[in-house]
Amino acid sequence: MNYSKVNNIVGWICFLIATITYVLTLEPSASFWDCGEFIASAFRMQVVHQPGAPLFLMIQRFFSVFAAGDLTRIAYWMNIGSAICSAATILFLFWTITALAKKTVFKAGDELTTGKLVSIMGAGAVGALAYTFSDSFWFSAVESEVYAQSSLFTAIVFWAILKWEAHADEPKADRWLLFIAYIMGLSIGIHLLNLLTIPALAFIYYFKRTGKATTSGIVKTLAAGILILAVIQYGIIQYLVSFGAYFDLFFVNTLGLGFGTGVLFFAVLVISALVWGIRYSIKHQKKLLNLGLISTVLIIFGYASFSMIIIRAKADPNLNNSAPKDAFSFLSYLNREQYGDRPLAYGPNYNSERTGIKEGGKTIWRKGNEKYEKAGVKTDYEYNNNTLLPRMYSDDARHAAFYKEWMRLDDAKVPNLVDNVGFLFSYQIGYMYMRYFMWNFAGRQNDEQGQGSGHEGTWISGIKPIDAMLRGDQTNLPPSTVDNNAYNRFFFLPLIMGIIGALWHFKRNQKDAGVVALLFFFTGIAIVLYLNQKPLEPRERDYAYVGSFYAFAIWIGLGALAIKEWVFKKLSATNGAVAATVIGLLAAPVIMAQQGWDDHDRSTKMVPHDIALDYLESCAPNAILFTYGDNDTYPLWYIQEVENVRPDIRIVNLSLFDTDWYINGARKKQNESAPLPITMKPEQYVQGERDVMPYDDYKIAGAVELKNIVDLLLSNDDNDKVAMQDGTKSNFLPTKNFKITIDPKQVLSTGTVSAANASKIVPEMTWTFNKGYVTKGTLAMLDILAHNDWKRPIYFASTVPSEQYNGLDKYLYSEGLALRLMPLQPDTTTSEERAEQLNTPVLYNNVMTKFKWGNMKNATYLDPQSSDDTFIFTNIFSNLAGSLIKEGKTTEAKKVVDKYYEVMPQKFYGIRTVVVKFYMAENLYKLGETARANEILTQSGDYINKELTYLADLSASKGLTGSQNVQTGLYYLDRMIRTAKANGQTKVSTQLEKIFTGLEAKFSAYYSQQGPQ
């Protein structure tokens, strides 16, 4: 039987299974987070956020061709691209496992029996398919993100080194090493995770080339592997560009030559040096030197995909993140300087105090008209109480509170090395890595965001005694677990398979097992050490560690060989191999597929797509829409740049507005949107100018016209500036009391205010600025407000943090998913809780005729972000219905309620759902919809009872947990009782009172809570 033929056939079968799986479950349009930006940038060849992914964009652009011009199918075909790359990863994983298995069970000169062949192929299938259905890999496989392609390149590299090893003694075998170098160079244009395979590759090379491994040889090989990794990461990726930038600085600023001449000279110098070195190595038969130099050339060739970034940045596309057009801006882009630094080996704690500024900081350069100009000096602060391995370093108040709670530190405690290492092992490794690892191979409780409380987003096995011992009492599992699609129970079976495989591998082939272990470490724990992750991340970060899960999947596959040897050794070789393969398949991929399918099937939801459409449809024509986060920006970029929806609207991301390159883009026409009314000149806001301006209270009486404030902040007169501690002068804010004088005719003629609301127009909009400083981006916003003259509607996305309103809250009116700035007299007569100002007629029209709902009601699965949006939409429906009831428009209010039941799921997604449903129930009582209101209160009470009973069990067995949910649940349960009584629903109130009394008794030891009145 031909081994290669069978190996290829079974490998491609695994590829086919993976492809079908991912195509059937992939998202039909853009997903949340970075996907919208990636799809928009790939389609129009634009520049994504640092450090870029040019090759990824080019490959995805290829897949977009299959949409055949249908703009609504672009995202789908790019998602297909990720699915196929992910399936190809499974193919190369299969070949990797079979290569390792064959080396272990099949020695040179042995006969390839049917039993051995089935064993090897079975191991490959078990491991490859286990990874196919692993939680984290599956998640990235069905959306247009870099991690699918990154995993593919990692799989190719590891497979290629095994191919080299198999043919290392043959002539020209080193071409496999050159192939690896080129693939690694290309992978830089996707993601840097691929480079972490280098130490493992170094050991395969060492073990093959050395006759006998020694301790010193192993240490040297590890050092060499890390050195090669550092040379590529820093020497090629960063310092090659850095040297080019400083050559250009010298040629431009000193020699007076044009921009780019220094880069060109440096490029010629590098090319000449490499050519000379290669010729020298050939002439003097320096094979290792020759291999190293040619590998370097091929890595640089692959790395050259980044030329796309510079080329497209110079074309000034709509999405031009950091605008890396010249040597220094490109260097900043690659170095991710936008995201700041974090201490790794030595640095401050969260409560260390700044004692000064380090002298001789790095000069920041920007491109001027004729020369490079100094934009400032990179500030490096000095601190007291520094420590080795600072893991608790963020001085953000929320992070500091988390550190203290997690490590049980009092306010006076200064963390030492032991404390920081404790946080590393307990949180960064124990919680933020091992939790993800166990999700994939033991089971998962639910898909709620885990923030360290221990009662959400954790791993669970399904074996209740063990789960109870580790997690607390599991007798009364709540709906947030049992009704959650991500409640996946693997009963430790994939984990056990992997551990068995690892033990068997180390016993049978210590060298190869060590290589896999090294791959596991560097793509897992080493990333934890390097990222030095802060707590309270906005999303789960398991996708960063899929390389280590890939390594573990190798051992899951080899676990089938261990079962054959250890359990079925008395059976015939073939029967034992078949039995072990069947057990392996059932213990890993089959149970993982069965449990994981429903929470990875995104094929029926369109939430990111439709919510992006709804954001834009919330806005009047030619509007300016301020956004802030990833999920209220990237989907909007996608639907506007790709599907050409509402190209008249200008999306302004406030988190990017503090940069000169973003303001430059705002001052230009984009799509069908005219330039923003920004009067600032580039020289007034370039990098280093007006980055942060302080507030210095001059005790000015009354409010100051906003135009005057902007003029003062832009003034170049030293008399309009204050002295800073470093001797420089800075513009400043002399008052926080602002105003805009209103011309009623102007706001009526532009449609800002309808004629029906003419009487509500205020003569002056007055407000108090809510910050103690003004950033460049805030100045740009104030500039727009001062000079827009109501010609363009101005909106804030509803998800923008309220501090970003800059004090304008009372003039913002909801029209859906966006709040419109309107110069109306705020309604101060209402005493209603949660009174949100609505532009009711517009909001009603948007909800009833314009908005789409992402198939929320009928989708197989809603991911956490999508389920959060059900909360947002329910809130919109409730507020709109309440406003219509207040206006006496009960017919319209009933239509809104009917629309709510038509398009929104009635499922509970956490305690927050109870909150918004309560207010909907209040409206239903007012409309005479008693049955519906009773149903909401009854279902909510039952949900609260089950959720809080579980938390009470945990509190009794593991200490108080989930206190916020307990307080919220009891508070609204009490309010539901009052509401039911007020509406004469005695049966409902009695039922809820019984629940309340029972819960109150359970938590009496932890809370002092009044019962219902």
Side-chain angles (χ1 to χ4, degrees):
M1 190 173 292
N2 188 303
Y3 173 85
S4 296
K5 185 176 181 179
V6 174
N7 194 36
N8 287 335
I9 290 173
V10 180
W12 283 104
I13 290 173
C14 290
F15 169 85
L16 187 62
I17 292 172
T19 300
I20 293 171
T21 296
Y22 300 147
V23 170
L24 288 177
T25 58
L26 61 76
E27 190 136 3
S29 186
S31 304
F32 281 119
W33 303 106
D34 297 350
C35 298
E37 182 197 18
F38 281 135
I39 295 170
S41 297
F43 180 61
R44 300 181 68 167
M45 285 290 98
Q46 303 184 95
V47 182
V48 298
H49 63 273
Q50 301 174 351
L55 183 61
F56 167 80
L57 299 179
M58 289 186 274
I59 292 173
Q60 292 298 83
R61 182 67 179 87
F62 165 76
F63 279 100
S64 74
V65 172
F66 294 100
D70 184 349
L71 298 181
T72 64
R73 300 290 284 174
I74 296 293
Y76 173 81
W77 280 102
M78 289 191 184
N79 292 343
I80 289 284
S82 286
I84 291 175
C85 289
S86 298
T89 303
I90 300 306
L91 174 65
F92 284 100
L93 173 58
F94 173 85
W95 286 335
T96 296
I97 295 172
T98 56
L100 291 169
K102 184 182 178 185
K103 280 179 61 181
T104 306
V105 304
F106 185 71
K107 305 302 180 184
D110 286 356
E111 179 186 356
L112 182 61
T113 63
T114 302
K116 287 182 179 179
L117 184 63
V118 172
S119 294
I120 294 169
M121 296 303 125
V126 169
L129 293 177
Y131 194 58
T132 298
F133 300 110
S134 62
D135 182 76
S136 300
F137 185 70
W138 198 345
F139 179 89
S140 297
V142 295
E143 63 180 20
S144 189
E145 249 279 20
V146 297
Y147 298 101
Q149 288 184 23
S150 175
S151 294
L152 172 58
F153 277 67
T154 299
I156 292 173
V157 163
F158 201 73
W159 165 81
I161 194 64
L162 295 177
K163 291 291 286 186
W164 168 84
E165 184 187 32
H167 300 280
D169 298 327
E170 300 174 7
K172 300 182 179 180
D174 284 354
R175 60 186 175 178
W176 284 104
L177 299 177
L178 300 179
F179 171 76
I180 289 170
Y182 183 56
I183 292 295
M184 282 194 164
L186 288 173
S187 75
I188 296 170
I190 298 173
H191 201 280
L192 298 180
L193 286 176
N194 183 273
L195 301 181
L196 296 172
T197 61
I198 291 174
L201 306 188
F203 273 96
I204 292 178
Y205 185 89
Y206 169 71
F207 289 142
K208 184 65 180 179
R209 289 302 188 201
T210 187
K212 183 179 180 181
T214 62
T215 301
S216 63
I218 289 173
V219 172
K220 290 177 182 177
T221 302
L222 179 60
I226 295 174
L227 179 62
I228 294 170
L229 172 60
V231 167
I232 297 175
Q233 167 72 23
Y234 298 104
I236 294 179
I237 296 176
Q238 293 183 19
Y239 285 110
L240 199 64
V241 177
S242 181
F243 280 126
Y246 282 97
F247 263 79
D248 211 43
L249 177 67
F250 175 74
F251 274 64
V252 174
N253 285 25
T254 303
L255 301 182
L257 299 176
F259 290 107
T261 52
V263 173
L264 182 61
F265 178 82
F266 178 69
V268 171
L269 198 65
V270 171
I271 292 169
S272 299
L274 288 169
V275 169
W276 180 86
I278 291 170
R279 289 173 61 88
Y280 173 85
S281 67
I282 294 172
K283 182 178 180 180
H284 295 278
Q285 293 295 300
K286 304 286 187 179
K287 291 185 178 181
L288 199 58
L289 176 62
N290 180 264
L291 180 64
L293 289 173
I294 295 178
S295 295
T296 301
V297 169
L298 290 171
I299 290 172
I300 294 173
F301 275 172
Y303 182 34
S305 65
F306 272 89
S307 60
M308 173 262 187
I309 296 291
I310 300 173
I311 293 168
R312 294 304 298 156
K314 285 182 175 291
D316 281 323
N318 292 343
L319 306 184
N320 192 9
N321 203 303
S322 301
K325 304 177 184 179
D326 60 85
F328 279 100
S329 60
F330 183 57
L331 178 62
S332 172
Y333 183 80
L334 290 175
N335 288 343
R336 297 170 58 93
E337 291 180 5
Q338 176 178 310
Y339 299 107
D341 297 324
R342 63 195 180 284
L344 292 179
Y346 185 76
N349 290 297
Y350 63 87
N351 55 0
S352 297
E353 296 180 358
R354 291 178 182 174
T355 58
I357 299 175
K358 294 180 181 178
E359 297 294 332
K362 178 184 175 183
T363 301
I364 301 171
W365 295 97
R366 64 172 181 245
K367 184 181 179 182
N369 293 327
E370 297 180 357
K371 291 186 176 183
Y372 287 108
E373 301 170 349
K374 290 185 178 180
V377 177
K378 185 177 180 181
T379 303
D380 291 318
Y381 293 102
E382 294 178 335
Y383 294 86
N384 64 1
N385 299 320
N386 291 301
T387 182
L388 291 171
L389 289 178
R391 305 294 103 175
M392 296 185 286
Y393 61 90
S394 173
D395 59 2
D396 181 281
R398 296 182 312 123
H399 297 158
F402 185 93
Y403 293 141
K404 289 186 286 188
E405 181 179 358
W406 185 271
M407 295 300 296
R408 294 180 173 84
L409 304 174
D410 58 44
D411 292 338
K413 171 68 174 178
V414 177
N416 53 30
L417 174 61
V418 173
D419 297 320
N420 278 279
V421 171
F423 185 76
L424 165 66
F425 279 97
S426 64
Y427 180 76
Q428 292 179 326
I429 294 177
Y431 188 76
M432 293 303 286
Y433 174 78
M434 286 306 301
R435 180 168 60 100
Y436 298 148
F437 178 82
M438 297 297 276
W439 277 4
N440 284 271
F441 304 116
R444 186 173 181 178
Q445 179 191 19
N446 53 41
D447 59 8
E448 293 184 18
Q449 174 85 24
Q451 298 289 14
S453 67
H455 71 275
E456 77 265 322
T458 189
W459 68 267
I460 200 167
S461 71
I463 303 175
K464 286 196 174 183
I466 296 177
D467 294 335
M469 181 176 63
L470 298 172
R471 299 273 168 256
D473 191 345
Q474 301 291 300
T475 304
N476 299 301
L477 288 174
S480 60
T481 295
V482 297
D483 294 340
N484 193 298
N485 288 38
Y487 178 40
N488 298 331
R489 289 142 293 165
F490 303 150
F491 309 103
F492 294 114
L493 294 175
L495 178 67
I496 293 170
M497 283 289 296
I499 292 173
I500 291 173
L503 294 173
W504 178 87
H505 203 201
F506 273 101
K507 182 178 180 181
R508 293 290 303 270
N509 192 332
Q510 198 172 47
K511 292 179 180 178
D512 282 355
V515 168
V516 176
L518 205 61
L519 178 67
F520 178 84
F521 173 81
F522 272 93
T523 55
I525 305 303
I527 295 177
V528 175
L529 296 171
Y530 179 73
L531 291 179
N532 197 4
Q533 196 171 61
K534 292 180 286 189
L536 305 177
E537 290 282 351
R539 62 180 293 197
E540 300 287 12
R541 302 295 190 185
D542 54 304
Y543 53 81
Y545 308 112
V546 292
S548 66
F549 307 154
Y550 179 96
F552 193 77
I554 293 174
W555 282 331
I556 290 179
L558 297 181
L561 292 176
I563 291 174
K564 175 186 175 293
E565 266 191 26
W566 295 345
V567 179
F568 297 121
K569 57 185 177 182
K570 292 185 179 181
L571 296 180
S572 68
T574 302
N575 289 340
V578 170
T581 300
V582 169
I583 288 177
L585 290 171
L586 293 174
V590 170
I591 193 172
M592 293 167 76
Q594 183 269 327
Q595 291 284 308
W597 191 281
D598 59 353
D599 56 298
H600 292 90
D601 183 4
R602 306 193 212 172
S603 62
T604 55
K605 79 176 179 69
M606 291 283 287
V607 178
H609 175 279
D610 286 0
I611 202 169
L613 182 144
D614 294 344
Y615 269 113
L616 297 184
E617 291 295 358
S618 296
C619 301
N622 202 33
I624 299 168
L625 174 61
F626 291 111
T627 64
Y628 188 78
D630 291 357
N631 287 328
D632 60 17
T633 303
Y634 292 160
L636 277 63
W637 282 354
Y638 156 75
I639 205 164
Q640 192 176 70
E641 294 290 302
V642 177
E643 296 193 18
N644 201 34
V645 172
R646 298 297 305 273
D648 58 301
I649 295 175
R650 178 58 65 94
I651 301 164
V652 181
N653 183 274
L654 294 175
S655 61
L656 300 176
F657 218 19
D658 286 331
T659 60
D660 55 358
W661 58 266
Y662 194 75
I663 298 174
N664 285 338
R667 296 176 71 244
K668 298 176 182 178
K669 180 180 179 180
Q670 290 183 4
N671 301 319
E672 296 175 15
S673 169
L676 295 183
I678 296 175
T679 64
M680 293 192 295
K681 302 296 185 290
E683 60 270 16
Q684 294 176 309
Y685 63 80
V686 292
Q687 185 180 16
E689 293 290 334
R690 294 177 174 84
D691 290 336
V692 180
M693 293 164 282
Y695 165 63
D696 190 359
D697 189 1
Y698 267 46
K699 309 296 182 184
I700 298 174
V704 178
E705 193 69 38
L706 186 60
K707 287 184 179 179
N708 296 334
I709 294 288
V710 172
D711 289 341
L712 180 68
L713 292 171
L714 291 175
S715 174
N716 289 321
D717 189 339
D718 279 355
N719 293 323
D720 294 331
K721 300 181 179 182
V722 294
M724 305 298 286
Q725 289 184 350
D726 60 2
T728 62
K729 286 197 168 185
S730 170
N731 294 89
F732 73 103
L733 184 67
T735 180
K736 291 186 178 183
N737 298 315
F738 299 167
K739 72 175 182 178
I740 297 177
T741 301
I742 304 301
D743 178 358
K745 293 181 180 179
Q746 175 75 354
V747 296
L748 288 171
S749 65
T750 58
T752 303
V753 176
S754 65
N757 287 322
S759 61
K760 298 180 182 179
I761 298 174
V762 293
E764 293 179 340
M765 275 178 57
T766 60
W767 74 97
T768 302
F769 184 65
N770 60 358
K771 299 186 182 76
Y773 56 89
V774 177
T775 66
K776 186 181 301 180
T778 303
L779 174 58
M781 180 196 285
L782 298 179
D783 195 359
I784 291 170
L785 295 174
H787 298 99
N788 182 50
D789 294 328
W790 305 103
K791 294 175 183 177
R792 300 180 68 169
I794 292 177
Y795 291 84
F796 289 83
S798 61
T799 46
V800 169
S802 58
E803 64 266 19
Q804 297 299 324
Y805 300 158
N806 292 322
L808 288 164
D809 310 52
K810 63 184 178 181
Y811 297 109
L812 296 178
Y813 291 78
S814 173
E815 295 184 0
L817 289 176
L819 309 175
R820 186 170 184 172
L821 184 68
M822 300 176 71
L824 301 179
Q825 183 66 45
D827 183 3
T828 58
T829 62
T830 181
S831 59
E832 292 183 23
E833 184 188 5
R834 300 170 63 252
E836 182 181 35
Q837 298 180 125
L838 309 180
N839 188 354
T840 308
V842 175
L843 177 56
Y844 179 81
N845 183 55
N846 287 340
V847 168
M848 300 303 291
T849 66
K850 290 186 177 181
F851 283 2
K852 294 185 178 180
W853 311 98
N855 197 33
M856 286 181 171
K857 187 177 181 67
N858 301 311
T860 305
Y861 171 64
L862 294 182
D863 58 272
Q865 184 61 43
S866 298
S867 63
D868 280 350
D869 290 330
T870 66
F871 173 89
I872 294 172
F873 279 127
T874 301
N875 201 43
I876 290 173
F877 277 111
S878 179
N879 287 341
L880 177 56
S883 180
L884 290 168
I885 292 169
K886 186 177 179 181
E887 295 175 9
K889 299 177 179 179
T890 56
T891 301
E892 288 85 350
K894 287 184 177 181
K895 289 180 180 179
V896 169
V897 168
D898 289 340
K899 187 74 171 181
Y900 163 73
Y901 276 96
E902 176 190 339
V903 300
M904 297 303 297
Q906 296 308 304
K907 182 177 178 179
F908 286 85
Y909 296 96
I911 291 292
R912 287 209 313 166
T913 307
V914 170
V915 177
V916 290
K917 278 181 173 286
F918 166 73
Y919 294 106
M920 179 60 79
E922 284 191 322
N923 290 325
L924 288 169
Y925 279 129
K926 293 174 183 177
L927 290 171
E929 297 272 1
T930 305
R932 281 178 167 176
N934 287 345
E935 183 181 36
I936 286 179
L937 295 190
T938 302
Q939 290 177 348
S940 296
D942 182 61
Y943 183 85
I944 292 172
N945 186 35
K946 290 177 179 177
E947 290 291 320
L948 268 58
T949 295
Y950 174 67
L951 293 179
D953 292 344
L954 291 187
S955 299
S957 58
K958 285 289 184 180
L960 182 62
T961 184
S963 58
Q964 184 62 50
N965 281 350
V966 174
Q967 292 171 350
T968 301
L970 291 177
Y971 173 77
Y972 278 95
L973 187 57
D974 182 42
R975 293 197 60 179
M976 287 189 288
I977 295 169
R978 296 168 186 260
T979 299
K981 284 183 176 180
N983 287 278
Q985 301 303 306
T986 306
K987 182 178 179 181
V988 174
S989 64
T990 301
Q991 182 179 343
L992 296 177
E993 282 180 327
K994 183 178 179 181
I995 293 172
F996 187 97
T997 303
L999 291 175
E1000 187 182 35
K1002 291 178 181 178
F1003 287 100
S1004 59
Y1006 306 102
Y1007 298 104
S1008 176
Q1009 181 88 2
Q1010 284 190 334
Q1013 301 296 317

